[in-house]
Amino acid sequence: MGFGDLKSPASLQVLNDYLADKSYIKGYVPSQAHVAVFEAASSPPPADLCHALHCYNQIKSYDKEKARLPGVRKAVGRYGPANVEDTTGSGATDSKDDDEIDLLGSDEEESEEKKKKNSALVAKSSILLDVNPWDDETDTAKLKESIRSIQADGLVWGSSKLVPKLQIQYVVEDDKVGTDVLEEQIAAFEDYA
């Protein structure tokens, strides 16, 4: 089990393929599994690995809250597809089984503390926005520059690419930034979008 050495292009490709139909490394919310995998990567994946880059940028947006994300961080070799050999050497050192239950309740205080920390999590959304240029002669570099000039508390711009239209990724704190407000601000760049 694992992704391999996430500093190598081949392992990053395995990660990208794994995330093609998943939003998170494990479960349905950002967790310590997500943090462990992307700290092992150490730098953003290349833009052509869009699923891995999307998840990397998403966990990067949780920078201040990483320690409060749910779950218990395990060795990076404990996550990923079962058919990939863990070449990091970290999977064998984690001897605690995922399904182990403490029947005596000795971790009761610890779980109460985790619940308190988890209640302070901030809801965020990662969005891929398609922006159509005004026409074929529109300066798409200026369009991208204009969009990235929009600043708001709780808004983090991510990667972008130019296909016939501009695709730009961003992460917002749901309570602070509404997508409708961003769309109105982008539409205000009438010369470009």
Side-chain angles (χ1 to χ4, degrees), residues 6-156:
L6 288 171
K7 293 174 180 63
S8 77
S11 293
L12 287 172
Q13 183 64 55
V14 170
L15 174 63
N16 190 67
D17 294 344
Y18 178 79
L19 291 169
D21 62 349
K22 297 171 185 56
S23 296
Y24 301 101
I25 300 298
K26 186 175 180 184
Y28 300 102
V29 295
S31 67
Q32 292 301 319
H34 211 71
V35 174
V37 170
F38 284 97
E39 284 183 353
S42 75
S43 64
D48 63 325
L49 301 176
C50 61
H51 305 297
L53 181 60
H54 170 80
C55 282
Y56 183 91
N57 287 333
Q58 184 176 29
I59 200 63
K60 185 178 177 186
S61 74
Y62 282 92
D63 193 40
K64 295 177 184 172
E65 294 98 17
K66 282 182 187 175
R68 294 187 297 209
L69 291 175
V72 176
R73 188 180 314 186
K74 298 179 180 170
V76 72
R78 299 290 299 231
Y79 306 110
N83 62 345
V84 175
E85 182 181 345
D86 176 25
T87 59
T88 63
S90 61
T93 61
D94 193 351
S95 61
K96 192 170 187 177
D97 187 38
D98 287 344
D99 299 326
E100 187 175 284
I101 299 172
D102 181 10
L103 298 175
L104 301 177
S106 61
D107 292 332
E108 189 174 308
E109 290 177 31
E110 185 179 317
S111 66
E112 288 298 320
E113 186 177 317
K114 284 181 187 176
K115 286 180 185 176
K116 288 178 186 175
K117 286 182 181 180
N118 288 343
S119 66
L121 288 178
V122 177
K124 294 185 180 185
S125 296
S126 180
I127 300 166
L128 181 62
L129 179 67
D130 289 335
V131 180
N132 293 318
W134 187 252
D135 60 25
D136 292 344
E137 296 177 7
T138 299
D139 185 350
T140 53
K142 289 283 188 188
L143 171 61
K144 182 167 68 170
E145 182 181 322
S146 298
I147 291 172
R148 287 185 180 274
S149 71
I150 299 171
Q151 299 293 315
D153 183 31
L155 170 66
V156 177

Side-chain angles (χ1 to χ4, degrees), residues 158-169:
S159 63
S160 63
K161 67 179 177 178
L162 294 171
V163 287
K165 56 190 163 200
L166 172 68
Q167 289 185 330
I168 190 163
Q169 182 177 354

